[in-house]
Amino acid sequence: MTNIDQAIENKMRAAGIASPTITAFLNAVHKVMAGDTGLQSEGEIEPIASLPALESINDSADHANAGLLDQLGVIKLNGGLGTGMGLARAKSLIAVKGPDTFLDFIAKQISHLRRGRAASVPAFYLMDSFGTQQDTLAYLQKYQGLADEHGQLDFLQNMVPKIDAKTFEPVSWPAQPDLEWCPPGHGDIYPSMLGCGLIDRLLKKGIKFLFVSNSDNLGATVDLKLLRYFAKSGFSFLMEVAERTPADRKGGHLTRRRSDGRLVLRESAQCPKEDEAQFQDIARHRFFNTNNVWIRLDHLKTELDKRGGAIPLPLIKNSKTVDPRLPDSTKVLQLESAMGAAIECFERAGAVVVPRTRFSPVKATPDLLALRSDAYRVTDDFRLVLDERRRGQPPVVDLDQQHYKLLADFENCFAAGAPSLIDCDSLKVTGKMKFAAGVICRGKVELVNESAETKVVASGIYCNEVRRVT
């Protein structure tokens, strides 16, 4: 183990990676070598019957809490590339409504929050990756005053070595050395913030609370009621969760560990195959993690110092090949962790059920179509939220991935604009199509083109039907 540790540490230090991330990664490797699969069986956990709901919390904006924004830092996780949609740049640069991208919305949200206040209050940072940093910072230059007093607007997520599945040593791939590395998941936020000195700088400025969310979730803005609730609760960590719907069956959910009663996050990659049916049972496991979290920064620093700079997050182990395009290339393990998994690492941690309006992410083109449609609206404070007429239920969109997985093909199909989905329960599109302007979908709609030629979906109302487009 010593030789393997030394090989990993040497490789990471040569790449300029800070000690906290090296410590965290070595801990993960040790777990794998000891036989830890990262799986959480149904027998080890129990469902959570109920949680406090934001809407039912008594709240008063009293004078004692008036200065909470001065003690707040906001961080957006912005490390993701749009590779799943055929892009090689930051996903946050995709246009969402009209010409506005995710980054435009985020910048406007922060500017709105700071209106009438001192510059840099609340503090704001992006956690970028090596792949997103350059494009992101260049795009945001048009927004003056976003950066802190030192001109800093972001910090970098680290990269970690892919591990040879047989030897556990860092893999070597001279044909393309960049394939020797992979992202460590957004659980890397904790050692990254510590390693670059951001935690200490924020604490020195009097920042006590952190709100962290994904850059592709435009419903996740600073909610003052939530901030006051978190400040009064005494929690070290608070997770925002939402009620699961059929569209959320495959996503991670919050549960409780039987052995010690702590709240834990179980992701799909941590579910044994034999438990998949129960994992996807939304009546059994009712709450999913929105990845909007609130953290007491001083408590986080205490835990990091106590544990040598790394919080022991549960392991997520992905088996891959070093070159994903070559199935016969060296088999590797990619070790990741989830930011929300830290909920189990704090003695005082909680969760609160929030409205669906605080969760509107884009993981693939069907999500993007829903956001561009009239099922979502832009608020006065620049949130993109599910319209109230949807009663908390987003439309279920299923686009033929053979034809609409890539953003370029998707844009061509909906060049005339998204169809109306405000009254649509579900929309399924199969085959090559191009939507005309003025398409209105109501109820359950399925559009099918069985030919190899592109067909036009004509303007008009489609209601509770399966339509063969000819």
Side-chain angles (χ1 to χ4, degrees), residues 10-317:
N10 289 346
K11 186 180 183 78
M12 295 180 76
R13 288 204 184 280
I17 296 171
S19 295
T21 295
I22 296 174
T23 300
F25 186 69
L26 286 174
N27 289 343
V29 173
H30 295 166
K31 287 181 180 180
V32 173
M33 295 178 70
D36 188 342
T37 63
L39 299 179
Q40 299 176 20
S41 72
E42 199 69 24
E44 297 175 283
I45 59 175
E46 58 186 13
I48 296 170
S50 63
L51 288 168
L54 176 62
E55 294 169 334
S56 63
I57 292 172
N58 293 324
D59 176 63
S60 60
D62 56 39
H63 178 72
N65 292 327
L68 286 178
L69 279 177
D70 297 332
Q71 304 173 61
L72 178 67
V74 179
I75 294 176
K76 290 289 183 179
L77 305 177
N78 191 52
L81 297 171
T83 51
M85 298 185 220
L87 300 179
R89 59 176 186 165
K91 184 167 69 172
S92 54
L93 288 168
I94 295 174
V96 185
K97 285 280 192 184
D100 281 350
T101 67
F102 292 99
L103 291 178
D104 288 303
F105 273 98
I106 291 167
K108 291 176 181 180
Q109 289 169 2
I110 295 297
S111 297
H112 179 86
L113 197 60
R114 288 175 172 176
R115 190 172 55 185
R117 305 183 60 82
S120 305
V121 175
F124 170 68
Y125 298 93
L126 295 153
M127 183 170 82
D128 285 323
S129 65
F130 289 97
T132 65
Q133 184 180 46
Q134 184 175 350
D135 286 345
T136 292
L137 295 182
Y139 189 84
L140 288 176
Q141 283 182 358
K142 62 182 179 179
Y143 293 99
Q144 299 300 312
L146 272 185
D148 66 15
E149 62 274 19
H150 304 294
Q152 183 178 355
L153 185 55
D154 76 337
F155 62 99
L156 273 176
Q157 179 186 33
N158 288 291
M159 56 183 184
V160 295
K162 296 177 182 178
I163 299 300
D164 189 300
K166 290 183 178 179
T167 67
F168 302 111
E169 294 179 345
V171 74
S172 176
W173 197 247
Q176 197 172 343
D178 60 308
L179 291 179
E180 298 173 5
W181 301 87
C182 63
H186 41 61
D188 181 61
I189 184 174
Y190 307 115
S192 286
M193 288 181 65
L194 182 66
C196 73
L198 184 59
I199 290 180
D200 289 332
R201 291 199 302 274
L202 290 177
L203 286 171
K204 195 172 293 185
K205 286 172 60 174
I207 302 298
K208 191 175 182 180
F209 311 106
L210 283 183
F211 174 60
V212 189
S213 60
N214 293 341
S215 64
D216 69 351
N217 179 13
L218 296 179
T221 54
V222 174
D223 184 296
L224 295 179
K225 183 178 178 181
L226 267 170
L227 175 57
R228 287 190 290 269
Y229 172 71
F230 180 54
K232 291 178 180 178
S233 70
F235 288 139
S236 302
F237 190 100
L238 179 68
M239 176 185 289
E240 294 184 33
V241 299
E243 294 270 2
R244 294 172 91 195
T245 70
D248 310 308
R249 291 184 306 110
K250 296 183 179 180
H253 62 80
L254 190 66
T255 184
R256 192 179 299 279
R257 190 161 49 210
R258 294 182 186 275
S259 61
D260 58 11
R262 288 203 175 189
L263 295 172
V264 296
L265 176 64
R266 183 167 70 157
E267 301 284 0
S268 57
Q270 297 170 296
C271 176
K273 287 194 177 298
E274 60 269 23
D275 291 341
E276 282 183 1
Q278 290 169 299
F279 180 95
Q280 295 183 19
D281 185 345
I282 63 175
R284 176 176 176 80
H285 295 294
R286 294 177 51 201
F287 307 107
F288 74 89
N289 170 29
T290 65
N291 222 37
N292 305 343
V293 303
W294 299 79
I295 304 166
R296 270 288 297 265
L297 189 60
D298 50 343
H299 294 184
L300 172 63
K301 180 64 160 55
T302 297
E303 287 297 318
L304 286 166
D305 288 345
K306 186 165 60 179
R307 301 176 184 274
I311 291 181
L313 297 176
L315 180 69
I316 300 176
K317 184 175 73 171

Side-chain angles (χ1 to χ4, degrees), residues 351-409:
V352 59
V353 183
V354 298
R356 190 77 185 208
T357 51
R358 291 189 60 76
F359 184 73
S360 51
V362 170
K363 302 303 178 189
T365 52
D367 304 320
L368 185 58
L369 183 64
L371 286 187
R372 287 185 179 179
S373 79
D374 54 1
Y376 286 81
R377 64 178 183 85
V378 180
T379 65
D380 292 339
D381 56 350
F382 302 102
R383 286 176 299 130
L384 190 57
V385 301
L386 191 63
D387 191 283
E388 290 83 356
R389 288 171 288 177
R390 297 291 314 176
R391 298 181 179 178
Q393 297 292 321
V396 178
V397 178
D398 182 359
L399 301 180
D400 189 335
Q401 289 299 283
Q402 182 179 348
H403 301 293
Y404 309 110
K405 179 180 181 179
L406 303 182
L407 186 65
D409 296 332

